């Protein structure tokens, strides 16, 4: 299952800008932009990206999976000169929330760094509110030492160049690969910056886990496995991977045993919940929050004895989330009325 429409847009169509915030995927040719989009949002297997052809036009993708996560991803071909005077980039940048700049960490990085600097300096002049996110990509092919060196080099050079040019921008850096969960974690962080309700969601999660003696909780988008929010304790990649895999297990089992004959669907509804006891004394706990989101938690088995309390706290948490959604929808409608 994938998301929404995928459309090729040319110069003219690109001027028809909708109100959803946009995330631009930029970087040199073959750096991995289309692969990232396909793997994260279209469930393409990483190995299948080997056969992706080079992108010739801007590819626009509408991501409307949940009330919180609604945006467009624009995949720019590596060979496109974004700042060509014939390309109306100033207009396009007005509604852009973030630029994800992808650097192939297995390749020579000089040209990519030059292009990154040029992109940041020009974009900053048009819209200083855009978040700059640098993916140090294809990290799977590097040894651990090499990974650290690459990240340090890219981060240092970019920051120094920006300081020398007097540009007050602080890009975020992520080491990513489509062959593990790093790409999902990085994209989660990119998207979270575009969710205005993030502090409220994090607070709700903090209260929920502390009252329920839970170690870690993620509010996950069930289709993409991007986490929309988590509590304030640090994210450990293995825990995120476990929680994300649990969603697959629950959906797969529901599809096989939960759907009626000839019934089609994702196998995920209000009834979806699951508890998995691991052999290391930990428990995974999943509950449906709404059509798009699941709460997935990790807790100690000894703290699961009072699971009635956890279930009760979850109901309160779910109600609070519904209120946040309702407020968001109400304020959106109010905004529309005013503009009408
Ligand atoms: N090892 C490795 N290869 C990757 C990764 N991501 C993408 N690739 C490979 O990189 C190659 C280029 O990927 P694309 O997604 O087509 O690159 P692009 O940036 O969209 O390229 P253009 O369309 O030319 O701008 C493909 O063969 C992918 O399989 C990764 O994380 N690790």
């Amino acid at each position: 299952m994938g998301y929404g429409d995928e459309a090729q847009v040319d110069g003219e169509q690109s001027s028809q800008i909708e109100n959803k915030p946009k995330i631009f995927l930029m970087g040199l040719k073959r750096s991995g932009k289309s692969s990232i989009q396909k793997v994260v949002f279209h469930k393409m297997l990483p190995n299948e990206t080997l056969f992706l052809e080079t992108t010739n036009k801007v590819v626009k993708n509408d991501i409307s999976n949940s009330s919180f996560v609604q945006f467009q991803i624009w995949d720019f071909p590596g060979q496109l000169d974004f700042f060509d005077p014939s390309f109306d980039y100033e207009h396009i940048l007005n509604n852009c929330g973030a630029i994800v700049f992808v650097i192939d960490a297995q390749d020579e990085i000089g040209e990519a760094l030059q292009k990154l600097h040029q992109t940041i300096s020009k974009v900053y002049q048009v819209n200083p509110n855009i978040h700059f996110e640098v993916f140090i990509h294809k990290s799977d092919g590097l040894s651990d030492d090499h990974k650290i060196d690459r990240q340090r080099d890219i981060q240092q050079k970019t920051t120094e160049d920006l300081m020398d040019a007097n540009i007050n921008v602080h890009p975020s850096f992520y080491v990513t690969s489509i062959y593990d969960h790093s790409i999902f974690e990085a994209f989660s962080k990119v998207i979270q910056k575009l969710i205005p309700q993030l502090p409220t969601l994090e607070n709700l999660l903090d209260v929920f886990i502390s009252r329920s003696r839970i170690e870690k909780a993620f509010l996950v988008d069930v289709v993409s496995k991007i986490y929309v929010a988590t509590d304030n304790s640090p994210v450990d990649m293995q825990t995120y991977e476990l929680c994300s895999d649990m969603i697959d297990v629950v959906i797969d089992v529901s599809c096989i045993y939960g759907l009626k004959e000839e019934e089609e669907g994702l196998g995920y509804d209000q009834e979806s919940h699951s508890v998995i006891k691991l052999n290391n004394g930990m428990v995974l706990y999943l509950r449906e929050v709404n059509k798009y989101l699941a709460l997935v938690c990790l807790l100690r088995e000894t703290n699961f004895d009072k699971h009635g309390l956890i279930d009760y706290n979850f109901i309160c948490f779910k109600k609070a989330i519904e209120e946040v959604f309702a407020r968001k929808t109400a304020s959106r409608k109010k905004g529309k009325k005013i503009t009408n």
Side-chain angles (χ1 to χ4, degrees):
M1 178 176 168
Y3 292 109
D5 340 319
E6 184 172 297
Q8 299 260 330
V9 288
D10 51 29
E12 263 175 54
Q13 280 171 294
S14 65
S15 61
Q16 301 164 358
I17 293 170
E18 291 170 39
N19 277 333
K20 285 179 196 162
K22 292 175 184 61
I23 297 177
F24 289 175
L25 278 172
M26 298 173 97
L28 295 185
K29 265 173 89 169
R30 312 302 285 160
S31 53
K33 303 177 289 298
S34 309
S35 310
I36 293 175
Q37 204 215 120
K38 295 278 182 197
V39 169
V40 177
F41 297 105
H42 294 275
K43 298 239 163 255
M44 186 179 266
L45 292 171
N47 280 333
E48 290 172 7
T49 64
L50 288 168
F51 311 106
L52 281 178
E53 293 196 356
T54 202
T55 319
N56 298 316
K57 282 182 171 179
V58 182
V59 178
K60 191 173 107 178
N61 246 280
D62 217 11
I63 313 289
S64 314
N65 49 324
S66 91
S67 309
F68 282 116
V69 188
Q70 287 208 344
F71 53 89
Q72 287 186 352
I73 295 191
W74 289 28
D75 180 6
F76 285 86
Q79 76 257 30
L80 179 102
D81 182 7
F82 188 75
F83 303 105
D84 187 290
S86 64
F87 196 71
D88 189 7
Y89 72 90
E90 295 197 2
H91 186 51
I92 295 173
L93 284 172
N94 275 335
N95 208 12
C96 174
I99 289 184
V100 173
F101 194 94
V102 184
I103 297 180
D104 181 346
Q106 294 183 16
D107 201 5
E108 215 339 272
I109 53 170
E111 195 189 340
L113 289 183
Q114 235 177 353
K115 187 156 180 189
L116 171 64
H117 182 78
Q118 185 205 28
T119 308
I120 297 181
S121 50
K122 292 212 174 179
V123 168
Y124 180 70
Q125 285 169 13
V126 180
N127 184 352
N129 298 321
I130 292 178
H131 297 281
F132 292 97
E133 318 281 1
V134 182
F135 285 9
I136 303 165
H137 194 54
K138 304 194 190 178
S139 63
D140 49 279
L142 306 178
S143 66
D144 283 348
D145 286 349
H146 204 169
K147 245 185 244 180
I148 296 169
D149 287 348
R150 266 279 133 115
Q151 183 177 13
R152 195 196 45 224
D153 291 349
I154 293 176
Q155 213 161 324
Q156 228 170 33
K157 178 90 176 72
T158 311
T159 324
E160 277 171 14
D161 286 354
L162 289 172
M163 267 168 62
D164 290 347
N166 254 332
I167 300 170
N168 189 21
V169 170
H170 303 282
S172 305
F173 297 86
Y174 311 83
V175 178
T176 57
S177 163
I178 51 170
Y179 288 96
D180 56 39
H181 274 68
S182 58
I183 194 65
F184 293 91
E185 198 188 355
F187 236 102
S188 301
K189 290 183 177 158
V190 169
I191 284 164
Q192 283 166 24
K193 290 189 193 164
L194 305 180
I195 301 175
Q197 298 85 354
L198 184 67
T200 315
L201 298 179
E202 286 177 343
N203 270 340
L204 287 171
L205 283 163
D206 278 340
V207 174
F208 172 70
I209 66 158
S210 66
R211 300 285 153 83
S212 314
R213 295 188 294 166
I214 284 171
E215 304 291 312
K216 188 78 195 151
F218 294 95
L219 199 53
V220 189
D221 170 62
V222 285
V223 179
S224 65
K225 314 287 165 41
I226 277 177
Y227 63 92
V228 172
T230 182
D231 61 276
N232 277 327
S233 64
V235 175
D236 160 54
M237 186 96 122
Q238 274 181 335
T239 310
Y240 171 48
E241 217 170 311
L242 263 177
C243 292
S244 152
D245 287 348
M246 187 188 189
I247 297 178
D248 281 336
V249 172
V250 170
I251 290 180
D252 287 352
V253 172
S254 304
C255 280
I256 299 169
Y257 300 106
L259 295 178
K260 296 197 185 91
E261 254 178 64
E262 290 177 25
E263 193 182 1
E264 282 196 18
L266 180 62
Y268 182 78
D269 56 27
Q270 307 90 292
E271 306 283 312
S272 300
H273 68 271
S274 171
V275 175
I276 298 179
K277 290 190 180 170
L278 306 175
N279 63 4
N280 61 355
M282 302 301 280
V283 171
L284 284 166
Y285 175 87
L286 178 145
R287 296 290 303 255
E288 185 258 7
V289 175
N290 64 29
K291 203 160 118 189
Y292 313 102
L293 296 175
L295 177 77
V296 194
C297 309
L298 184 75
L299 69 156
R300 289 181 200 285
E301 199 174 338
T302 43
N303 291 341
F304 195 62
D305 51 356
K306 291 189 183 151
H307 62 90
L309 175 74
I310 300 178
D311 291 342
Y312 175 78
N313 284 344
F314 171 74
I315 292 168
C316 301
F317 172 79
K318 185 172 166 166
K319 266 194 199 146
I321 293 275
E322 279 163 7
E323 269 177 42
V324 182
F325 268 93
R327 269 170 204 266
K328 186 174 190 243
T329 318
S331 63
R332 212 189 286 147
K333 280 188 184 152
K334 214 169 151 188
K336 261 191 196 158
K337 261 190 194 159
I338 291 168
T339 48
N340 282 344

